[in-house]
Amino acid sequence: MTERTVISALAALEDGPVKVQGWVDTVRDQKKVQFVVLRDETGACQLVNPRSEGREEISDTISNLAQGTMLTIEGDLKADERVKLGGLEVKISSIKVESEADPETPIADDTSIDKRLDWRFLDLRTERNNVMFRAQTTLVNAMRQYWVERDYIEIFTPKLMASASESRAELFEVGYFEGKAYLAQSPQFFKQMAQSAGFGKVFEVGPVFRADPSFTSRHATEFTGVDAEISWIDSHEDVMNMHEELMRTALTAVKEKHGDDIERLFDVEVKIPGPIPRIPLLEAREIVESRGHKFERNDLDMDPEGEREIGRWALEEHGSEFVFLTDYPASIRPFYHMRSTEDASLTRSYDLIWNGVEIATGAQREHRLDVLERQVADKGMDAAELSFYLDFFRYGAPPHGGFGMGLSRVLMLMLHQPNLREVTYLFRGPNRLQP
Amino acid sequence: MTERTVISALAALEDGPVKVQGWVDTVRDQKKVQFVVLRDETGACQLVNPRSEGREEISDTISNLAQGTMLTIEGDLKADERVKLGGLEVKISSIKVESEADPETPIADDTSIDKRLDWRFLDLRTERNNVMFRAQTTLVNAMRQYWVERDYIEIFTPKLMASASESRAELFEVGYFEGKAYLAQSPQFFKQMAQSAGFGKVFEVGPVFRADPSFTSRHATEFTGVDAEISWIDSHEDVMNMHEELMRTALTAVKEKHGDDIERLFDVEVKIPGPIPRIPLLEAREIVESRGHKFERNDLDMDPEGEREIGRWALEEHGSEFVFLTDYPASIRPFYHMRSTEDASLTRSYDLIWNGVEIATGAQREHRLDVLERQVADKGMDAAELSFYLDFFRYGAPPHGGFGMGLSRVLMLMLHQPNLREVTYLFRGPNRLQP
């Protein structure tokens, strides 16, 4: 039996017998000849069937094909410049229906995102979504390669925990035999544990869970976190250095492999970041205020419109899609961020903003037990509940820091998509647990 | 300021000023000279401090060092063949204590595994455990490289589900806003969804959850699953072909990078599998019975001792540490496994056994909706609850199959370890949620 050839590989073959497998995209059922456009995971090609004597069985099969039906085709490949689709066609010699599609397709190109998500597997069949998840594959694996080449250890931290890893407010509770557990809101504590364990540099790409009831374009109850944590840094500047290089490496890989497809299908040019400007948050607030933005909240933080404005500023003034906002006030950062030596009201921390949206948070962590205990008390937190975490610093801990980044946010910003729903394989929100 | 040099890189340097950072392993505090063995994530080296005039401050600091204390050392590197540890030493010119360790270390080399897990971050500081997780990093990333080079798409499937993915018996329930959700027991349904989505070939490495109250050496309530699923296969033989090549690629990478360390620290030679024998399960049962094993259960399955015996047989008869057991009876396989064409009481499925322990399960899946619905009914399952899954097959689905493998089991067998507790970063069992 002939081996399967994926459609993108047909162009490199000589004319002759081939086997192709995929699903029906369109059928043109004419009097003298039938055409089928067949798609597979790599592309589309034209199948042809002349309605000549002895070919009635093939013709009947084609006449009854519904869009989506899965086919195995054996036939003769022939290069033909007149064929618009790739300059080749396959003359069918045998056709096998592997599984029939219901002809009443529940979604179309103009269906709302919510309905499309109900039928996500059909929505994902488009070339555009195929390219999206291939680009994500390349992006993530370029990051991992960056780390692996630099002797990072990959960790798989547990998602079941005995207590909160970030805030009690957004915690999912799990029935755990006779007791209960909680879903990890981040691998924060456990990637820090690796520093005390002498692992030096670690990374993890895995799910995190937030019981956040918000319905914005940027929030999900479950998403893929991209985390790194490194020992023996001098400050958060070292973390930003790594983070910046990582983004450059990953986006270079995406541009090389998918840049043309992304331009064609998303009308977006993937740009490789140069040096990323680093602006203290309080300075950034002044910049966006001077550009007319008015902060409504009183907590010194950026708000979404402020992020968009500082994004525009970075593009105009520095030609950079990215900007690091640094030195956040301690009042709006978690207890484990290290305070600045120069001004104890600030932290050695940063957010990374891309095209006006926050995609990551990083910091140097406090590794000195006495200071850490003081910061726990300052935040009014329960040291007893955190004792397992505080233990990590009792037997020697190196200076360290790292970041956490939302993978879908990266994809959303990279492809200029309006929300996380479009760029997540299967989105999870307060109202969505299926499929 | 001098840049940090990791200890393993010292040997390649000329004599001269260096900065090293790590933790105190041992101190020999003698009258005329002090020696400190410093460890970091890459190795260990000897620091030396002659107790000469003007160096009292350094000497006092060293006298008070506890094992585990984190240090930044600047000093002079000098190659010296007499030094047993790597043939070099660093004469201290400055010493900075980054964080002090409590001298009362809670665990020692002979502490029980359970107590060691309470202090896992200290347990992980050993060279042996460091190498273990570096080997895991290499193993997993070699697998991912294998897939990425072959145009697989990486998927991140949701762990929050509206219903069970495998059996209702081992399901964790999560409070989800006003309702409830369940933790995914495998990415099974969602990696199959990728086949209907036209992704062709996919993989995922991520957490899976089993509310399994057992306390064996091979079970955990949360573990890292390694999953792949591919379209357009002819049978489960194609899945085994890929699986076999994958194991060969991954183990070759581990052997090349860590083979010597593993031999030194674990007394284990990493062997690269040749062709893996494939034995129908019922035949395998006869083989182990003929070798004296008596099955206690009546369900036609292998039991753990049967697996060990067939493992010994494969090694003796085929010189193979691995063996595929194939064609499991439908009665002991999930509803979604495809039945054999020749004998409908059997499935197109397999288990992979390594050194006598099951590490993976694979199969061709049933992609024909009518057959699948029949198999759901045969198992007495609720088609309504499975309707979102059955929908995946309503609009065309290609023939496909794949496998799921437990990462920690692979590590356990590769390093001849007695249980999963030793080889999991942070083990989770019915009694263990911390740290």
Side-chain angles (χ1 to χ4, degrees):
Chain A
M1 209 164 65
T2 323
E3 282 282 306
R4 178 192 187 209
T5 303
V6 293
I7 290 171
S8 67
L10 290 176
L13 294 189
E14 299 284 309
D15 288 2
V18 291
K19 177 163 112 179
V20 288
Q21 298 179 299
W23 64 93
V24 175
D25 191 55
T26 52
V27 178
R28 271 190 298 149
D29 198 351
Q30 300 172 353
K31 219 174 185 174
K32 297 201 164 155
V33 62
Q34 296 171 310
F35 297 99
V36 177
V37 173
L38 188 79
R39 298 192 62 86
D40 72 6
E41 64 269 28
T42 69
C45 74
Q46 178 166 292
L47 312 176
V48 62
N49 179 49
R51 282 178 173 277
S52 47
E53 239 185 87
R55 301 178 65 87
E56 291 79 6
E57 209 179 326
I58 295 176
S59 307
D60 287 353
T61 302
I62 292 175
S63 294
N64 288 308
L65 288 178
Q67 203 258 313
T69 290
M70 294 279 168
L71 299 178
T72 293
I73 300 290
E74 304 209 49
D76 281 299
L77 173 69
K78 192 161 178 292
D80 185 341
E81 283 183 7
R82 292 167 305 173
V83 180
K84 281 187 192 159
L85 194 58
L88 53 84
E89 65 182 10
V90 175
K91 187 179 159 190
I92 300 171
S93 47
S94 85
I95 182 167
K96 185 185 173 202
V97 172
E98 299 286 358
S99 88
E100 275 184 60
D102 187 328
E104 297 293 325
T105 311
I107 59 168
D109 288 349
D110 59 350
T111 306
S112 74
I113 173 72
D114 216 52
K115 181 94 189 278
R116 278 191 285 119
L117 291 192
D118 288 340
W119 301 95
R120 183 62 163 166
F121 62 102
L122 293 175
D123 188 43
L124 291 174
R125 271 190 195 168
T126 61
E127 187 187 8
R128 189 179 148 101
N129 278 334
N130 187 295
V131 164
M132 184 186 290
F133 286 96
R134 289 190 189 278
Q136 177 174 275
T137 302
T138 300
L139 182 90
V140 174
N141 282 285
M143 290 188 197
R144 292 203 193 96
Q145 279 308 102
Y146 173 90
W147 286 318
V148 168
E149 283 168 11
R150 285 159 183 80
D151 291 326
Y152 284 59
I153 294 180
E154 180 167 9
I155 53 175
F156 298 94
T157 64
K159 307 311 164 198
L160 292 168
M161 297 181 68
S163 56
S165 50
E166 298 283 338
S167 99
R168 287 227 134 255
E170 300 183 350
L171 207 52
F172 284 119
E173 188 178 304
V174 183
Y176 198 74
F177 304 102
E178 304 308 305
K180 57 192 179 182
Y182 301 96
L183 292 180
Q185 297 160 304
S186 81
Q188 184 61 37
F189 291 172
F190 299 141
K191 65 179 182 163
Q192 289 191 257
M193 190 189 95
Q195 313 307 307
S196 295
F199 277 20
K201 296 175 286 189
V202 300
F203 71 90
E204 176 167 22
V205 180
V208 296
F209 305 89
R210 305 277 168 95
D212 180 345
S214 43
F215 288 93
T216 81
S217 58
R218 309 175 316 282
H219 288 91
T221 51
E222 175 179 354
F223 61 90
T224 303
V226 176
D227 275 89
E229 196 78 18
I230 53 178
S231 286
W232 302 111
I233 59 172
D234 290 323
S235 76
H236 55 317
E237 299 283 339
D238 292 329
V239 182
M240 284 188 274
N241 293 344
M242 179 264 281
H243 201 160
E244 184 170 329
E245 205 173 51
L246 180 80
M247 296 310 291
R248 200 171 295 135
T249 304
L251 289 174
T252 302
V254 170
K255 189 182 180 74
E256 279 174 9
K257 195 156 179 187
H258 312 282
D260 294 345
D261 283 339
I262 290 172
E263 193 142 0
R264 178 170 56 84
L265 295 162
F266 294 87
D267 195 22
V268 172
E269 187 195 343
V270 178
K271 295 204 186 84
I272 313 303
I276 300 178
R278 301 176 185 190
I279 315 291
L281 174 74
L282 299 182
E283 211 173 290
R285 283 177 59 99
E286 286 170 19
I287 291 169
V288 304
E289 278 178 331
S290 77
R291 291 166 64 98
H293 178 60
K294 198 167 151 29
F295 287 101
E296 307 275 332
R297 297 195 319 227
N298 274 327
D299 65 358
L300 293 178
D301 208 348
M302 272 286 167
D303 52 19
E305 182 47 35
E307 286 173 359
R308 278 189 287 275
E309 191 56 45
I310 200 70
R312 285 189 281 266
W313 172 85
L315 196 59
E316 289 165 23
E317 298 295 318
H318 295 269
S320 175
E321 292 185 348
F322 291 87
V323 54
F324 283 119
L325 304 185
T326 68
D327 305 278
Y328 278 66
S331 57
I332 51 171
R333 286 306 217 196
F335 73 93
Y336 51 79
H337 282 203
M338 185 180 270
R339 305 283 175 95
S340 293
T341 321
E342 302 75 25
D343 179 348
S345 77
L346 301 178
T347 56
R348 294 184 164 197
S349 67
Y350 71 87
D351 274 10
L352 178 56
I353 311 286
W354 188 8
N355 291 330
V357 179
E358 182 230 306
I359 58 169
T361 295
Q364 179 166 9
R365 325 300 186 180
E366 183 52 67
H367 64 282
R368 297 159 298 184
L369 181 60
D370 52 337
V371 185
L372 194 56
E373 285 174 330
R374 219 153 48 225
Q375 293 184 185
V376 168
D378 278 0
K379 289 271 182 193
M381 296 178 75
D382 183 357
E385 198 183 342
L386 287 169
S387 68
F388 81 96
Y389 170 74
L390 294 171
D391 280 344
F392 299 162
F393 304 91
R394 227 172 271 286
Y395 299 92
H400 65 280
F403 70 82
M405 181 162 69
L407 178 58
S408 290
R409 286 205 182 183
V410 174
L411 209 65
M412 175 174 90
L413 276 309
M414 184 174 84
L415 301 176
H416 296 197
Q417 290 301 289
N419 57 58
L420 295 184
R421 288 165 174 76
E422 293 281 358
V423 298
T424 307
Y425 180 66
L426 279 169
F427 178 79
R428 288 294 181 254
N431 282 344
R432 181 165 288 283
L433 277 173
Q434 272 196 333
Chain B
M1 208 163 65
T2 324
E3 282 282 305
R4 179 192 188 210
T5 303
V6 294
I7 290 171
S8 66
L10 291 176
L13 295 189
E14 299 286 307
D15 288 2
V18 290
K19 177 163 112 179
V20 287
Q21 298 180 299
W23 64 93
V24 175
D25 192 54
T26 52
V27 178
R28 270 190 296 148
D29 198 352
Q30 299 173 356
K31 216 171 185 177
K32 296 205 164 153
V33 64
Q34 297 171 308
F35 296 99
V36 177
V37 173
L38 188 79
R39 297 192 64 85
D40 72 8
E41 65 270 29
T42 68
C45 74
Q46 178 165 291
L47 312 176
V48 61
N49 177 48
R51 282 178 171 277
S52 47
E53 237 184 87
R55 301 178 64 86
E56 290 80 7
E57 208 178 328
I58 296 177
S59 307
D60 286 354
T61 303
I62 292 176
S63 294
N64 288 309
L65 288 178
Q67 203 256 315
T69 290
M70 294 280 169
L71 299 178
T72 293
I73 300 290
E74 303 209 48
D76 281 299
L77 174 69
K78 191 161 181 290
D80 184 341
E81 282 182 9
R82 293 167 304 175
V83 180
K84 280 186 193 159
L85 193 59
L88 53 84
E89 66 182 10
V90 175
K91 186 179 160 193
I92 300 172
S93 46
S94 86
I95 181 168
K96 184 183 172 202
V97 172
E98 300 285 357
S99 89
E100 275 185 61
D102 187 327
E104 297 294 323
T105 312
I107 59 167
D109 288 348
D110 61 349
T111 306
S112 74
I113 173 72
D114 217 51
K115 181 93 188 277
R116 278 191 287 119
L117 291 192
D118 288 341
W119 301 96
R120 183 63 163 164
F121 62 101
L122 293 175
D123 188 42
L124 291 174
R125 271 190 195 168
T126 60
E127 186 187 9
R128 189 178 148 101
N129 278 335
N130 186 295
V131 164
M132 183 187 290
F133 287 97
R134 288 188 189 280
Q136 177 174 275
T137 301
T138 301
L139 181 90
V140 175
N141 282 284
M143 290 187 196
R144 292 203 192 98
Q145 279 308 104
Y146 172 91
W147 287 318
V148 168
E149 283 167 11
R150 283 158 184 80
D151 291 326
Y152 284 60
I153 294 180
E154 179 166 10
I155 52 174
F156 298 94
T157 64
K159 307 311 163 197
L160 291 168
M161 296 181 69
S163 56
S165 50
E166 297 284 337
S167 99
R168 287 225 135 256
E170 300 183 348
L171 206 51
F172 285 119
E173 187 177 305
V174 184
Y176 197 74
F177 304 100
E178 303 308 304
K180 56 191 180 182
Y182 301 96
L183 291 181
Q185 297 159 302
S186 80
Q188 185 61 37
F189 291 171
F190 298 141
K191 66 181 182 161
Q192 288 191 257
M193 189 188 95
Q195 313 307 305
S196 295
F199 277 19
K201 297 175 285 189
V202 299
F203 72 89
E204 176 167 20
V205 180
V208 296
F209 305 90
R210 305 278 169 94
D212 181 345
S214 44
F215 288 93
T216 80
S217 59
R218 309 176 316 282
H219 288 91
T221 52
E222 175 180 353
F223 61 91
T224 304
V226 176
D227 275 89
E229 196 77 17
I230 52 179
S231 284
W232 302 111
I233 60 172
D234 290 323
S235 76
H236 56 315
E237 298 283 339
D238 292 329
V239 183
M240 284 188 274
N241 292 344
M242 180 264 281
H243 201 161
E244 182 171 329
E245 206 172 50
L246 180 80
M247 296 308 293
R248 199 171 296 135
T249 303
L251 289 174
T252 301
V254 170
K255 189 182 179 74
E256 279 173 8
K257 193 156 180 185
H258 312 282
D260 293 344
D261 283 339
I262 290 172
E263 193 141 0
R264 177 169 57 85
L265 295 161
F266 293 86
D267 196 22
V268 172
E269 188 196 342
V270 178
K271 296 205 186 83
I272 314 302
I276 300 178
R278 302 176 185 190
I279 315 292
L281 173 75
L282 299 182
E283 212 172 287
R285 283 177 58 98
E286 285 171 18
I287 291 169
V288 303
E289 279 176 330
S290 77
R291 291 166 65 97
H293 177 61
K294 202 170 146 26
F295 287 99
E296 307 277 333
R297 297 194 318 228
N298 274 328
D299 65 359
L300 292 178
D301 209 347
M302 272 285 166
D303 53 18
E305 181 48 34
E307 286 174 358
R308 279 190 286 274
E309 191 58 43
I310 199 71
R312 286 188 282 266
W313 172 85
L315 195 60
E316 288 165 24
E317 297 295 318
H318 295 269
S320 176
E321 292 184 349
F322 290 86
V323 54
F324 284 118
L325 304 185
T326 68
D327 303 278
Y328 278 66
S331 57
I332 52 171
R333 286 306 216 196
F335 74 93
Y336 52 78
H337 283 202
M338 185 181 270
R339 306 283 175 93
S340 293
T341 322
E342 302 75 24
D343 179 348
S345 76
L346 301 179
T347 57
R348 295 184 163 197
S349 67
Y350 70 87
D351 274 9
L352 178 55
I353 311 285
W354 188 8
N355 291 329
V357 179
E358 183 229 306
I359 58 168
T361 295
Q364 179 165 10
R365 325 300 186 180
E366 183 52 67
H367 64 283
R368 295 159 299 184
L369 181 61
D370 53 335
V371 184
L372 194 57
E373 285 174 331
R374 221 154 48 227
Q375 292 185 184
V376 167
D378 277 1
K379 289 272 180 191
M381 297 178 75
D382 183 358
E385 198 182 344
L386 287 169
S387 68
F388 81 97
Y389 170 74
L390 295 170
D391 280 345
F392 299 163
F393 305 90
R394 226 171 272 285
Y395 299 92
H400 65 280
F403 70 82
M405 181 161 70
L407 178 58
S408 291
R409 286 204 182 184
V410 174
L411 209 64
M412 174 174 89
L413 276 308
M414 184 174 85
L415 300 176
H416 295 197
Q417 291 301 290
N419 57 58
L420 295 183
R421 289 165 173 76
E422 294 282 358
V423 298
T424 307
Y425 180 65
L426 278 170
F427 178 79
R428 289 293 181 255
N431 282 344
R432 180 165 289 281
L433 276 173
Q434 271 195 337

